Amino acid sequence: MANPKSMKKMILRSIRTTLLEGGSSTKAELSDKLGISFPTVSKFLADMEKDGEIISLGLDESSGGRRAKRYTYNPEYMLGLAIFLEKSETNYTIFNCFGEIKKQGKVSSVLKEDGLHLLTTHIEEIITANPKIRSMAIGVPGAVDRGRIFHIPGYEQFKDLDLKGYYENYFSIPVAVENDMNAAVLGYYHTRKRKDQSLVYLYSGQNGPGAGIMINGTVVRGSMFFSGEVQFVPQYNERNFQEALMNGSGTRNETISEKYEIDAIGRLVASFVAIINPHTFIFCQDEVNEATMDKIKENSSTYIPAEHLPAFQVGDWKQDYLFGLQNLCLEVMVDKISNLS
Amino acid sequence: MANPKSMKKMILRSIRTTLLEGGSSTKAELSDKLGISFPTVSKFLADMEKDGEIISLGLDESSGGRRAKRYTYNPEYMLGLAIFLEKSETNYTIFNCFGEIKKQGKVSSVLKEDGLHLLTTHIEEIITANPKIRSMAIGVPGAVDRGRIFHIPGYEQFKDLDLKGYYENYFSIPVAVENDMNAAVLGYYHTRKRKDQSLVYLYSGQNGPGAGIMINGTVVRGSMFFSGEVQFVPQYNERNFQEALMNGSGTRNETISEKYEIDAIGRLVASFVAIINPHTFIFCQDEVNEATMDKIKENSSTYIPAEHLPAFQVGDWKQDYLFGLQNLCLEVMVDKISNLS
DNA sequence: ATAACTTATTAAACGTCTTTAATAAGTTCT
DNA sequence: AGAACTTATTAAAGACGTTTAATAAGTTAT
């Protein structure tokens, strides 16, 4: 699409994102940065200010002439709702456009019989109590294809459900639905400034290891939404990654420390480097510590030239997951909502 | 950017691509498909016809009313130049907008001392002889970062050279520079209709195997342009992919047939599936035949659930490489050239 | 053959963004 | 304090795409 309407949308979106990301701006700065003429920026900002979407911060120090007016986004103008569907419970968070958490709550898990209906009721209550909510993001422990739950082991009643479509229709607000690992890697991605990077977020949880992967700024889903199922990577004559981590026993340690674990992960890192050569490799902070990470790094470098190894980082999974959902929320907010006449 | 100028560009680009991809169109079809109003399409087409960029094909059969005029792109309006820098020789191809080859030639390799100067002279001659050339793409056996040759083993005099910038400045036409494997996977991608897919193009050449990887429609380059260096993937207790293919001897067979080769490749496929889960896996036609491919497929499925295996295809590497460069050429043509007032 | 009906194209009026010029506000130098 | 100079903002004119209405071209039925 290339017409005046889409142009208006693009302008509004670009102003919103720069204001939200940059903190504050003057009209001239926006005009300059976005390649939009001053009068146009002026008109949009006037409308947005009248609507309460932006707030004047007063005048800048003079740079030799008339002082410029500075504007900032009003974070309370719209709120977002993030919902985490988990096995044992369902958490939700209400936050403003700056990502500041306004309210947090927990209800019993909706991943059970008649869970959809239950979830709908909960959301209804939350939205009625917080009418400023303009979008929501739902994280689910399963594969998601454009808002449709594609595969969700253990909770078959949610399978093939177009959750996004259903709730967008029901609540008339934009909705994002995303897999938990993908949301986490997305969240981590957005907390860093460097964009367009490739990330791998590894967690070696109890029910099999998994990885969230991001390349060139987009989440990798795979043809069958099977990407990141690293447990199947063949690593030794007779063992794949999963088997190597198990080391013959039926269970797994919570934290990683044993030599066989280090070598398995080291090999996995090497495989990732040889295949996609990511910028950063993220481990979960409750699974590895700094010392282990150093050992893994050393181990990987026996398989692959050390200069090509990624940066090793620890991430707070829970936190990144929340950030990811928040970001999805904000994205659809910035993109879809238009209160301008 | 969001302003009238960028809009004009977008409109022109979208008309060009649909005309080139779809073969031919009427004004109404374009207006409909692109979401651009009829009068605007009309105006653009009028300009383009006057300029010789499009040609009228006469009138459609009537669908009950006045017959619509049908237009097609004039393939000879612009030509593209693809140049392949190889160890032993330098090939070039001149083709029109439909990808039809107009001329082909070969000169001695420029990958040697003072090669840049030599290449420049060659290009100068070609362009003078074919003044309709409006863009060029250069394929190089090395890592390329936004037109700059980043790493090119064996030809150090080309290292850190911004070939794209240099020639764009010198010849005043848009230039694309791309790694050979990446160009091949891009070429394969564009020969298929299904878009937004993930592909892996594997070749197990003499000087170590390599893979071109495409995910979500973009080429994967990696943080250090090291992606696809699959030789380093650890596969057995004591062997990585490269060593497994060698099987202890110092050399490699041209075609793949031995059991140890099948298992190594089967494991590599499994690793790819577990990590990025691609739609399609492409082998070079001179390296594997159908029977071998079936064996590999069977072998992979011992490591990973068969339903997640990608489609297996054979590709003509040389051909796909050419297509890739052609596509890069066409892309910059469609994107950058604007002969409209 | 002509009237009634479809569909394609052209023309005029309107909205939106940009460019350019004019005005307002602030700073610095004398 | 006032003139000269910067810089921000507003206003008017111009460019471009869309919408809506009018016209041209073709088909079908009587």
Side-chain angles (χ1 to χ4, degrees):
Chain A
M1 269 241 262
N3 53 38
K5 261 180 208 159
S6 67
M7 208 160 138
K8 205 164 178 174
K9 265 193 180 172
M10 277 170 64
I11 292 174
L12 182 59
R13 188 178 57 210
S14 64
I15 290 178
R16 276 178 175 158
T17 47
T18 39
L19 232 34
L20 281 170
E21 276 171 13
S24 71
S25 276
T26 65
K27 290 178 179 175
E29 282 168 15
L30 284 170
S31 165
D32 229 50
K33 177 163 184 191
L34 301 177
I36 302 169
S37 74
F38 192 97
T40 302
V41 171
S42 203
K43 189 172 118 338
F44 273 86
L45 289 196
D47 287 355
M48 289 166 85
E49 189 176 17
K50 198 163 60 198
D51 202 45
E53 188 168 358
I54 57 173
I55 298 169
S56 168
L57 284 180
L59 303 175
D60 266 21
E61 283 305 291
S62 168
S63 55
R66 174 169 168 179
R67 295 162 67 186
K69 219 170 165 187
R70 181 160 289 276
Y71 296 89
T72 186
Y73 202 86
N74 174 8
E76 312 300 331
Y77 180 69
M78 310 193 259
L79 298 181
L81 170 63
I83 302 175
F84 307 76
L85 305 192
E86 284 170 291
K87 191 159 100 181
S88 55
E89 61 199 33
T90 297
N91 282 285
Y92 71 86
T93 303
I94 300 168
F95 50 89
N96 68 18
C97 296
F98 287 175
E100 294 159 350
I101 291 170
K102 309 299 290 182
K103 208 174 289 184
Q104 231 164 346
K106 180 190 297 188
V107 295
S108 64
S109 175
V110 299
L111 292 174
K112 59 179 189 188
E113 205 51 60
D114 205 28
L116 179 63
H117 186 253
L118 192 60
L119 178 59
T120 309
T121 313
H122 285 318
I123 298 176
E124 221 151 23
E125 279 167 16
I126 296 170
I127 290 187
T128 322
N130 304 85
K132 289 231 156 191
I133 290 175
R134 288 295 137 77
S135 70
M136 66 180 178
I138 305 175
V140 299
V144 177
D145 178 17
R146 284 161 295 178
R148 171 182 296 277
I149 298 175
F150 184 81
H151 180 64
I152 182 165
Y155 316 107
E156 299 304 323
Q157 72 277 19
F158 279 90
K159 206 191 147 181
D160 288 326
L161 174 66
D162 178 9
L163 205 57
K164 173 185 164 76
Y166 181 70
Y167 280 145
E168 282 190 339
N169 185 53
Y170 194 101
F171 292 113
S172 301
I173 59 173
V175 176
V177 183
E178 184 56 283
N179 163 266
D180 50 2
M181 274 317 295
N182 289 345
V185 70
L186 211 103
Y188 185 92
Y189 178 78
H190 278 103
T191 56
R192 315 295 134 157
K193 282 289 152 277
R194 318 274 285 104
K195 296 294 176 189
D196 270 345
Q197 295 220 336
S198 304
L199 306 179
V200 177
Y201 207 127
L202 180 74
Y203 85 138
S204 51
Q206 298 302 313
N207 19 316
I213 302 169
M214 195 143 182
I215 290 181
N216 296 344
T218 57
V219 168
V220 177
R221 297 171 195 283
S223 67
M224 308 289 292
F225 303 93
F226 195 69
S227 70
E229 296 291 339
V230 291
Q231 62 200 79
F232 292 101
V233 174
Q235 292 200 317
Y236 300 90
N237 292 359
E238 306 292 346
R239 286 182 177 177
N240 65 23
F241 182 55
Q242 164 98 311
E243 290 155 353
L245 280 184
M246 295 284 210
N247 194 33
S249 79
T251 58
R252 281 270 342 284
N253 315 343
E254 163 104 29
T255 57
I256 288 155
S257 55
E258 298 296 329
K259 195 156 182 199
Y260 64 86
E261 293 172 317
I262 305 273
D263 190 56
I265 296 180
R267 282 171 176 240
L268 187 72
V269 171
S271 299
F272 267 103
V273 175
I275 289 176
I276 62 176
N277 183 217
H279 293 80
T280 307
F281 211 99
I282 306 142
F283 297 91
C284 291
Q285 72 186 161
D286 48 345
E287 291 178 348
V288 303
N289 56 38
E290 288 288 334
T292 321
M293 226 159 61
D294 285 342
K295 281 190 204 153
I296 294 171
K297 195 182 293 189
E298 199 185 315
N299 181 283
S300 309
S301 65
T302 62
Y303 298 109
I304 208 138
E307 68 263 34
H308 295 125
L309 285 180
F312 284 63
Q313 299 281 324
V314 288
D316 181 336
W317 193 80
K318 215 57 211 208
Q319 177 84 347
D320 291 328
Y321 186 9
L322 171 61
F323 273 155
L325 290 186
Q326 280 188 359
N327 248 103
L328 288 168
C329 247
L330 284 179
E331 217 163 79
V332 290
M333 252 191 220
V334 159
D335 211 72
K336 296 275 173 59
I337 317 271
S338 72
N339 289 325
L340 301 182
S341 52
Chain B
M1 269 243 260
N3 55 38
K5 262 181 208 158
S6 67
M7 208 160 138
K8 204 164 179 174
K9 266 193 179 171
M10 277 169 64
I11 292 174
L12 183 58
R13 189 178 56 209
S14 62
I15 290 178
R16 277 177 175 160
T17 47
T18 40
L19 234 34
L20 282 170
E21 278 172 11
S24 71
S25 275
T26 64
K27 290 178 179 175
E29 281 168 15
L30 284 169
S31 165
D32 229 50
K33 178 163 182 191
L34 302 175
I36 302 169
S37 75
F38 191 98
T40 302
V41 170
S42 203
K43 190 172 117 342
F44 273 86
L45 290 196
D47 286 356
M48 290 167 85
E49 189 176 17
K50 197 163 62 199
D51 203 43
E53 187 168 359
I54 57 174
I55 299 170
S56 167
L57 284 181
L59 303 175
D60 266 20
E61 283 306 291
S62 167
S63 54
R66 174 169 169 178
R67 295 163 66 187
K69 220 170 165 187
R70 180 161 289 277
Y71 296 90
T72 187
Y73 202 86
N74 175 7
E76 312 300 330
Y77 180 68
M78 311 194 258
L79 298 181
L81 170 63
I83 302 174
F84 307 75
L85 304 191
E86 284 170 292
K87 192 159 100 182
S88 54
E89 61 199 34
T90 297
N91 283 285
Y92 70 87
T93 304
I94 299 169
F95 49 90
N96 68 17
C97 295
F98 286 174
E100 293 160 350
I101 291 171
K102 309 299 290 182
K103 208 174 286 183
Q104 230 164 347
K106 182 190 293 189
V107 295
S108 63
S109 176
V110 299
L111 290 175
K112 59 179 192 188
E113 203 53 58
D114 205 28
L116 179 64
H117 186 253
L118 193 60
L119 178 60
T120 308
T121 314
H122 286 317
I123 298 176
E124 223 151 21
E125 280 166 14
I126 296 170
I127 290 187
T128 324
N130 305 82
K132 288 230 156 193
I133 289 175
R134 288 295 137 76
S135 70
M136 67 182 178
I138 305 175
V140 299
V144 176
D145 179 17
R146 283 161 297 177
R148 172 182 295 277
I149 297 175
F150 184 80
H151 180 62
I152 182 164
Y155 317 106
E156 299 304 323
Q157 72 276 20
F158 278 91
K159 207 192 146 182
D160 288 326
L161 175 66
D162 178 9
L163 204 58
K164 174 185 163 76
Y166 180 71
Y167 279 144
E168 282 190 339
N169 185 53
Y170 194 101
F171 292 113
S172 300
I173 59 173
V175 176
V177 182
E178 183 56 283
N179 163 266
D180 50 2
M181 274 315 296
N182 288 345
V185 70
L186 213 102
Y188 185 92
Y189 178 79
H190 277 102
T191 57
R192 314 296 134 159
K193 280 288 149 281
R194 317 275 284 104
K195 297 293 176 190
D196 269 347
Q197 295 220 336
S198 305
L199 307 178
V200 176
Y201 208 128
L202 180 74
Y203 85 137
S204 50
Q206 299 301 315
N207 19 316
I213 302 168
M214 194 142 184
I215 291 182
N216 296 344
T218 57
V219 168
V220 177
R221 298 171 193 284
S223 68
M224 307 291 291
F225 304 93
F226 196 68
S227 69
E229 297 290 340
V230 290
Q231 63 200 78
F232 292 102
V233 174
Q235 291 199 319
Y236 300 90
N237 291 359
E238 306 291 347
R239 286 181 176 177
N240 64 23
F241 182 54
Q242 164 97 313
E243 290 154 354
L245 280 184
M246 296 284 209
N247 194 31
S249 80
T251 58
R252 278 274 337 288
N253 315 345
E254 165 104 26
T255 57
I256 289 155
S257 55
E258 298 297 329
K259 194 155 181 198
Y260 64 86
E261 293 173 316
I262 305 272
D263 190 55
I265 295 179
R267 282 171 177 242
L268 187 71
V269 171
S271 299
F272 267 103
V273 175
I275 289 175
I276 62 176
N277 182 217
H279 293 78
T280 306
F281 211 98
I282 305 142
F283 298 91
C284 291
Q285 72 186 160
D286 49 344
E287 291 178 349
V288 301
N289 54 38
E290 288 287 334
T292 320
M293 225 161 60
D294 285 342
K295 280 190 205 151
I296 294 171
K297 197 182 290 189
E298 199 186 314
N299 182 283
S300 307
S301 66
T302 63
Y303 297 110
I304 208 141
E307 68 264 33
H308 295 126
L309 286 180
F312 284 64
Q313 300 279 327
V314 289
D316 180 336
W317 194 80
K318 216 58 208 209
Q319 177 83 347
D320 291 327
Y321 187 8
L322 171 60
F323 273 156
L325 290 186
Q326 280 188 359
N327 248 103
L328 288 169
C329 248
L330 283 179
E331 216 164 78
V332 291
M333 253 191 219
V334 159
D335 211 74
K336 296 274 172 60
I337 318 272
S338 71
N339 289 326
L340 303 182
S341 52

